[in-house]
Structures are given as C-alpha cells and as structure tokens.
Amino acid sequence: MLGQHRSTQRHVPRDREDEERLVADMIELARQYGRYGYRRIAALLRDAGWQINDKRVERLWRREGLKVPSKQPKRSRLWFNDGSCIRLRAEYSNHVWSYDFVHHRTDDGKAFRTLNILDEFSRECLAIRIKRKLNSTDVIDALTDLFIMRGVPAYIRSDNGPEFIAEAVRKWVAAVGAQTAYITPGSPWENGYVESFNARLRDELLNGEIFYSLKEARIIIEEWRRHYNTKRPHNSPITRRAAVRCAWMISWAPGPYPGRKRKTAVRCWSSLGEAKSPSAWTQAKSAASSRTMTR
C-alpha cells in the first residue's frame, strides 16, 4: 500500500438494509401514480411509515432512471396601474368557489363533459358532475346539492361560458345570497385554481384511462376525486391534504361563535366520505378552543 496516493483508496459504498424494500415501494408508487414526481412519492412513502427525506428519495429516483415531470412555468399576478392586485382571493372556507367544464370521450367516440367545482381556500374538489351534455339547469342542480350540504359561498368564480352566464343561473345565485365573479373574457389564468385542477385531472387520470361507458367514467373519476381530496400530496404546505386542511379550518372559519366554527368544519370533514383521524380532529378542536380563548 506504500507509495499510493490517498485519492486512489476509497471505502466500498454499502447500501442500507432497507434499501431494496424502499426502492420496490417507490417503484410501485411510481407505477401507480405515473405523473407524480419524487416529492409526492416521498410524501406517500412517509404516509406508509417510511422515515425518509426528499433527498434520499431523489437519489434513488434518479438512480433507478425514473422521470421527473417538468415544472410548470410560473405566471405573474394581475395588477392595476396603481399597483393594487385585482384578483379576488379566498380568505376562508366557503368564501370563493370556482367551477369549469372539462371535455373528454368514451371509447366509442362519444363526448362527455365534467363540471368540476372547487373550494379555492381549501383546494378541495367539492364535486364532479358527469353527463353527455351539461347545461345551465345541470349547473343549478349541482350547486343546489352542494349548498344543502355545505352552505352558500360568498362568491362563485367562473368564465363566461353560456352555461354560467345564463340568466337563470345568475338570478338563482343572487336569490340564494351568493355573488358571481366572472373573469375577463379570454383570460383563463384569472380562474387559475380550477384551471390547475383541470390540468391535474387530465394529466393524472383522463389521459391514461379508457372509459368504455359513462357509468365507468363516473365511478373511476369519483374514486380519483376522493384520492385527490384525502391522499394526494399537494405542493403547498398548508394544503398537504384536504382532509387535514378541513380539520385545521375549525380555528379559521368565520363567525363569532365556536359552534359555527365546528359546524363549518363538520360539513367539510363529512363530505370527504373516508375514515376520519381522531387525533387530527382532537388537535384541531384544541387549536380552535385555544384560539377562541385568546380572542
């Protein structure tokens, strides 16, 4: 060993004992959720019980040759000449809802439409109505069901499609106490939350599925909606899961009385349709009580 430079002597790298199982679980999740990057896969692995960070998953992700989805370009906000922002931003649950249509086809070539309704504050997908043809009457029916279960929002944002600007829709929305917030024609970025949701729906589900009937489309899309609300990792740390977000919103729901805070969260929580976490619910109640006492 004498006379050899120290840079020629290296320790042989040894993999951890759990490396093989971790890689197998990572590949299985990547196969199941083909459009997820390593950060979302890392979050799902942590949900499954793995104690890992994003850097380790990224190293294994690249070593296995898995493809990282490209980042979307950022869009700037819209501003007036005096520097004020013109966008209506949601400040609490049921403050601003937004909805939009997505077009797709079944295997026989027949078209169908989905009406996607989103809460912009919690990012929760409230409903997806699926039919061959959707008109203003169907829009009113979908909103009616949600108003009964969740209450009436302050604003409903949409583009200027004929189904949304129909006189019947505008009169009905005004009659129940909500306000319409139409975007500028030809400016879909003003309705960014639901447009982003539409892109996720198409990229993660519609582009990879063959629907042989409308009934099959309804079942599969509803399963994906529940996964989106309860399990899918989100980019923002505040909106990691819609289920956890709904419990956390107890302490932020508007109104002077704690009972209203709890009722708002119960409506949001119960609409998810999956198992609730007692610990998360208890923590949220404690946060609400302490916040109410400090106020």
Side-chain angles (χ1 to χ4, degrees):
M1 302 296 293
L2 296 177
Q4 293 186 359
H5 196 274
R6 64 181 302 175
S7 63
T8 63
Q9 308 301 321
R10 297 183 179 89
H11 291 287
V12 178
R14 292 181 299 178
D15 293 336
R16 299 184 184 180
E17 296 179 356
D18 60 350
E19 194 97 320
E20 186 176 348
R21 292 188 296 108
L22 175 59
V23 171
D25 289 353
M26 182 185 67
I27 293 177
E28 175 60 25
L29 288 173
R31 184 197 62 80
Q32 186 175 359
Y33 307 108
R35 294 300 299 171
Y36 283 8
Y38 72 87
R39 290 185 179 88
R40 285 200 174 99
I41 295 297
L44 293 176
L45 288 171
R46 285 190 288 269
D47 288 345
W50 286 97
Q51 295 183 357
I52 53 175
N53 55 19
D54 289 354
K55 290 183 178 180
R56 185 182 178 191
V57 177
E58 181 185 14
R59 175 177 60 82
L60 299 175
W61 182 272
R62 296 186 182 278
R63 190 190 73 181
E64 297 299 320
L66 299 175
K67 182 180 179 181
V68 179
S70 59
K71 294 183 179 180
Q72 298 294 325
K74 296 182 179 180
R75 295 184 179 273
S76 59
R77 296 183 181 181
L78 301 177
W79 304 90
F80 279 134
N81 292 331
D82 60 359
S84 59
C85 186
I86 66 176
R87 178 176 178 139
L88 171 65
R89 291 192 174 274
E91 299 177 357
Y92 51 85
S93 179
N94 275 12
H95 183 202
V96 182
W97 290 3
S98 57
Y99 52 9
D100 197 11
F101 289 113
V102 170
H103 299 260
H104 200 62
R105 293 181 181 274
T106 50
D107 186 56
D108 55 8
K110 295 182 179 179
F112 68 87
R113 307 176 79 189
T114 69
L115 174 62
N116 306 329
I117 307 176
L118 202 72
D119 188 320
E120 292 192 0
F121 183 73
S122 66
R123 312 292 199 275
E124 180 190 1
C125 178
L126 306 178
I128 300 180
R129 181 67 62 92
I130 304 171
K131 290 183 68 175
R132 293 291 183 186
K133 295 182 179 179
L134 289 168
N135 51 31
S136 58
T137 303
D138 297 307
V139 173
I140 294 176
D141 290 341
L143 291 178
T144 301
D145 295 340
L146 290 175
F147 288 176
I148 293 174
M149 293 188 299
R150 308 180 63 90
V152 180
Y155 297 91
I156 303 179
R157 194 196 313 268
S158 70
D159 58 25
N160 295 269
E163 299 86 358
F164 301 138
I165 64 173
E167 184 177 0
V169 174
R170 288 184 295 175
K171 288 184 177 179
W172 181 81
V173 170
V176 298
Q179 300 182 45
T180 55
Y182 296 113
I183 65 175
T184 305
S187 304
W189 53 85
E190 294 185 20
N191 202 10
Y193 290 116
V194 73
E195 292 289 349
S196 176
F197 174 82
N198 293 344
R200 301 286 78 74
L201 171 63
R202 185 170 297 281
D203 185 48
E204 297 175 9
L205 180 69
L206 299 182
N207 289 345
E209 291 284 347
I210 299 177
F211 302 116
Y212 294 99
S213 65
L214 194 63
K215 182 178 180 180
E216 181 184 13
R218 289 194 179 107
I219 294 174
I220 294 177
I221 293 175
E222 177 61 21
E223 289 179 352
W224 182 87
R225 185 187 73 87
R226 292 179 180 272
H227 167 80
Y228 178 89
N229 285 339
T230 58
K231 296 181 179 179
R232 180 186 185 274
H234 292 255
N235 291 332
S236 173
I238 298 180
T239 57
R240 291 297 186 190
R241 305 289 191 283
V244 178
R245 175 66 166 174
C246 289
W248 177 82
M249 280 191 299
I250 301 174
S251 59
W252 290 97
Y257 305 106
R260 290 186 58 186
K261 294 179 172 66
R262 188 176 188 280
K263 289 179 181 178
T264 301
V266 166
R267 287 198 303 268
C268 184
W269 190 271
S270 60
S271 66
L272 297 173
E274 294 210 358
K276 290 83 177 172
S277 170
S279 59
W281 180 257
T282 304
Q283 294 173 4
K285 287 176 63 179
S286 301
S289 301
S290 61
R291 185 174 295 276
T292 304
M293 292 176 64
T294 56
R295 289 178 180 176

